Amino acid sequence: MSIDRAEIRTVRGGLEIPTERPPRLREIRADVGGRYVGAGATGVLFSATGPVAVIMGAASAGSLTATQTASWIFGVFVLNGLLTAVVSWVYRMPLAFFWTIPGTVLVGQALPSLTWPEVVGAYILTGLLIGVLGATGLVARIMSVLPHRVVMAMVAGAFLSFGTDLIRSVSSDVAVAGSMVVAWVLIMRSARLAPRVPAVLVALLVGLVALALTGGFVELGDAEAALPLVGLPEPTAPQFNWDASAQLVIPLAITVIAVQNGQGAAVLAGAGHRPPVTVVTLLCGVWSVLVAPLGAVSTCLAGPTNALLVAVGERRRQYISGIACGVIAMGVGVGAPILVRGLDSVPDSFISALAGLAMLEALRGAFVAAFSDSSGGTAARNSPLGPLVTLLVTISGVHAVGLGAPFWGLTAGVVVTWVMDRPRSMHSP
């Protein structure tokens, strides 16, 4: 019998389980198609360009070694790729798990004041927190306390530097960064190409051509040149302390649950799937603990990648895209040293332009979600002051009692929103 949409049922504890068994090999063979495999490959290509450039930027901020950076990339691709392939197969729907991009930004901001083992320790605690929230069903309650507009304003503040760095890269290297921007705009403006061709990938290729023509490639250092073509990750023993935990654990958990998982679930639901939100949260927690010793930032349900997976084909066969995405991601992760060598051979302006272009849509979406008013309520009930305060505090870089700006921005925004959005007394003048 043909299954139009994979169905799930909720059991005791709020966990969702599939009502159908996973597809057998003969079913997979019947459902495989070039466009589904192509969608999976496109999802991996997206993750291996701009989002990896974000990782490289964070690694540079923390002065990580080439081996540590390669280990980070190995973890986010190989282990998350395995999770993606297995869960997509079990649930008969595309469920792509990668890493939290806003969380990576937060890590890059925190690394100059923290050691790498301390960051790894914060990763583990974050995973445990996410897992507990998933296992106990507390996710919905916590999300109801945190105003979505305030959370997205925090994300907008964290992402803002990518936009400004993009502008600076064009100013400093117009031949390379400028050509990348032009290529990106041309693809995004094409009604025919935009849905089929990742604009960031085209910008990457155009930038590489521009570097070749201008002689802009950077000579590799000894550490990068010594990296093997393939290799095993380098585990890091975690260290736990208050400063790292206070700076990263709660903000990272929020980016996974409120930002990335929420976006990913919305994308899948919009395509007609019914994602198992509680199980996804629990898996993100468990997997975040597993990938942490490799230096990999917290696992999440990837919104942009899942959007690429559901963009083509019949809904009932889109799980093939998820399986293909996971398998290809594992191959990319094994070759992480090659990826690191390639990105280390290009100038900072190239990385800034690539990361900025990859983050522009996310930055736009964060600002729209933070400051648009679609509720139709009164001005008092929809005051933009909470998101605005959150944005300003987040971009200020303020650091107090071991807590970074994203935490204080979120806290200030919640307080201001609570004060401004309370119903006003009838006796108020």
Side-chain angles (χ1 to χ4, degrees), residues 316-331:
R316 69 175 186 83
R317 298 173 63 186
Q318 288 173 345
Y319 75 93
I320 296 293
S321 300
I323 295 174
C325 178
V327 172
I328 295 170
M330 287 188 280

Side-chain angles (χ1 to χ4, degrees), residues 86-386:
V86 171
V87 179
S88 296
W89 171 65
V90 171
Y91 279 87
R92 286 180 177 262
M93 71 178 76
L95 290 165
F97 293 85
F98 279 109
W99 66 95
T100 164
I101 298 175
T104 305
V105 176
L106 296 177
V107 171
Q109 295 171 345
L111 266 172
S113 62
L114 300 174
T115 67
W116 188 230
E118 289 171 345
V119 171
V120 171
Y123 287 164
I124 292 176
L125 294 178
T126 301
L128 293 174
L129 174 60
I130 295 171
V132 168
L133 295 176
T136 58
L138 291 174
V139 174
R141 298 181 191 176
I142 293 176
M143 291 310 302
S144 66
V145 174
L146 294 175
H148 181 66
R149 297 172 70 198
V150 169
V151 172
M152 296 312 294
M154 181 196 73
V155 173
F159 282 4
L160 192 59
S161 62
F162 286 92
T164 55
D165 286 346
L166 171 61
I167 302 302
R168 293 190 187 99
S169 70
V170 174
S171 175
S172 64
D173 192 350
V174 66
V176 175
S179 63
M180 295 170 70
V181 171
V182 170
W184 185 87
V185 170
L186 291 176
I187 295 297
M188 293 297 291
R189 284 286 299 165
S190 172
R192 182 173 61 87
L193 294 178
R196 299 176 175 85
V197 181
V200 173
L201 177 60
V202 175
L204 166 71
L205 297 175
V206 169
L208 292 176
V209 172
L211 283 174
L213 294 175
T214 60
F217 284 103
V218 178
E219 185 176 350
L220 290 175
D222 293 339
E224 291 81 2
L227 285 173
L229 296 180
V230 296
L232 296 177
E234 179 184 88
T236 298
Q239 292 181 4
F240 302 95
N241 66 28
W242 166 250
D243 285 348
S245 300
Q247 284 193 62
L248 290 176
V249 172
I250 293 178
L252 277 178
I254 289 172
T255 66
V256 170
I257 295 171
V259 181
Q260 301 279 197
N261 286 7
Q263 183 186 51
V267 165
L268 291 168
H273 296 286
R274 186 187 167 197
V277 177
T278 302
V279 170
V280 163
T281 305
L282 179 59
L283 288 173
C284 286
V286 172
W287 230 250
S288 294
V289 174
L290 293 178
V291 301
L294 306 184
V297 72
S298 308
T299 295
C300 69
L301 189 67
T305 304
N306 279 298
L308 293 170
L309 300 186
V310 300
V312 299
E314 302 171 62
R315 184 169 54 200
R316 69 175 186 83
R317 298 173 63 186
Q318 288 173 345
Y319 75 93
I320 296 293
S321 300
I323 295 174
C325 178
V327 172
I328 295 170
M330 287 188 280
V332 170
V334 171
I338 300 176
L339 199 55
V340 171
R341 290 172 67 177
L343 291 174
D344 275 338
S345 68
V346 297
D348 291 340
S349 59
F350 178 91
I351 296 294
S352 295
L354 186 63
L357 291 171
M359 300 299 286
L360 272 183
E361 181 59 26
L363 179 61
R364 183 201 65 81
F367 269 101
V368 170
F371 294 104
S372 64
D373 178 13
S374 58
S375 61
T378 64
R381 295 289 292 169
N382 297 280
S383 170
L385 190 58

